Amino acid sequence: MFVKTVSTIGRFSLLLLPFALVATAVDCGDSGSGGSTGTAGSMGTAGSTGSAGTSAGAGTMGSAGTTGAAGTTGAKDCTVVSPTAADMTILDFETVTAGATQATFGGYMMGMQYGGGTYIYPNAATAADLMGLSNTFDGMNWHITGLVKDYSGFGIYLTSKTDASMFGGLSFDIKGTFTAVGTGTAPAATATMTIVDSAHEVDSTHTSDARMTCGSCAPANGSEYDGTCAQASKSIPLTGTSVTQTVHWNDLTNGKRPPSFTGESPNPMLLTALAAWALPWNGTGSAQYMVDITVDNIKFIAP
């Protein structure tokens, strides 16, 4: 099984995707992957062409290189906001409007306050070939289906840099199955989870598309994609039965930044994307496969 992490997938920053979905409404937050110029950042390239997609704003999100939300060229306010004890439940999908293609929480339409929403990439609805992932919330959960034929995934973006250190991590219910297409073989059903923080996010000086980020990591070799700035990650197994996964901040490892390059966990005081799940893909020559994934009850956990 092959999975690219947020820092390198599709050679785009994970942060880009989220903001593409809420583009013009967000002024801070995750940096966009392939985000185009703009304050709230438009989407990236590798997503549904632009989770983090092709659209602007809270786009399908980054890691696997999809849309770029808050990260595009322009002024960027990275003031830290904080959730409260009342925000322990992030998304339970109980009140999402029927037919919605995105679920949001908190002050998702404005920077400078805690909030965010969901994204997928590439988004089949906006992809040039109309192929990729789709999602619905009509079952009072987050149901993701579609074809994996490129770097793909899903996630939760934040509209502002967030200090979630009052909590110990995240929990969520998840199940999923992968089905081979044609004569190919589907990979083992897993999703590589990252929690993105600014300490491991590339700084604005070294972004490949001149987008603005909240990151402070200066790549050792001067390239956003040289692998020296990397987010911490954890592999999440998927089965046909829903399982509650509890992930503490320090359960995610192997984050890297110069000069030490030692494996690190995310800093919960500096979050720029709440969570991203990348699906297995090893690039050209990989076998395509169909996914059917359901996520529910996304919450912070006690410290």
Side-chain angles (χ1 to χ4, degrees):
M1 128 179 103
F2 309 86
V3 180
K4 295 246 183 192
T5 61
V6 169
S7 60
T8 57
I9 291 185
R11 301 188 68 75
F12 290 96
S13 165
L14 172 94
L15 301 184
L16 294 182
L17 300 179
F19 282 120
L21 298 179
V22 289
T24 56
V26 181
D27 186 53
C28 173
D30 311 352
S31 61
S33 216
S36 58
T37 334
T39 301
S42 54
M43 36 194 41
T45 303
S48 28
T49 299
S51 238
T54 296
S55 54
T60 49
M61 164 150 234
S63 226
T66 307
T67 156
T72 72
T73 314
K76 190 173 182 64
D77 187 340
C78 295
T79 303
V80 177
V81 301
S82 300
T84 67
D87 296 314
M88 181 165 275
T89 293
I90 301 166
L91 283 167
D92 60 12
F93 308 104
E94 297 294 314
T95 59
V96 182
T97 302
T101 57
Q102 180 189 29
T104 58
F105 60 93
Y108 69 96
M109 287 302 287
M110 318 160 197
M112 304 303 296
Q113 63 179 289
Y114 167 72
T118 60
Y119 68 85
I120 54 174
Y121 66 91
N123 189 324
T126 54
D129 58 3
L130 298 181
M131 299 176 74
L133 302 182
S134 300
N135 62 190
T136 68
F137 305 92
D138 293 351
M140 290 188 292
N141 52 35
W142 187 10
H143 188 201
I144 303 156
T145 57
L147 175 69
V148 173
K149 66 180 188 66
D150 199 343
Y151 298 111
S152 306
F154 52 97
I156 302 171
Y157 67 88
L158 292 168
T159 56
S160 295
K161 192 173 179 179
T162 298
D163 179 355
S165 59
M166 68 179 294
F167 301 109
L170 300 174
S171 72
F172 51 93
D173 300 338
I174 190 167
K175 67 177 180 179
T177 56
F178 295 177
T179 304
V181 173
T183 58
T185 301
T190 62
T192 297
M193 179 181 179
T194 59
I195 293 175
V196 184
D197 69 321
S198 61
H200 298 93
E201 177 185 4
V202 68
D203 62 20
S204 299
T205 303
H206 295 90
T207 54
S208 59
D209 52 5
R211 70 182 183 279
M212 303 300 290
T213 79
C214 291
S216 62
C217 185
N221 300 320
S223 169
E224 178 175 5
Y225 308 114
D226 66 11
T228 59
C229 294
Q231 300 292 340
S233 63
K234 175 181 173 62
S235 180
I236 304 296
L238 306 179
T239 66
T241 301
S242 184
V243 173
T244 299
Q245 296 284 348
T246 299
V247 180
H248 294 85
W249 306 126
N250 60 7
D251 288 338
L252 290 93
T253 57
N254 296 321
K256 294 189 294 183
R257 58 178 175 164
S260 62
F261 303 108
T262 55
E264 299 177 332
S265 296
N267 184 338
M269 299 178 68
L270 305 172
L271 303 186
T272 54
L274 194 55
W277 293 269
L279 299 174
W281 184 258
N282 70 346
T284 305
S286 296
Q288 299 180 7
Y289 61 99
M290 302 295 294
V291 298
D292 188 326
I293 299 168
T294 301
V295 183
D296 203 356
N297 300 317
I298 304 171
K299 303 177 182 180
F300 286 115
I301 58 175

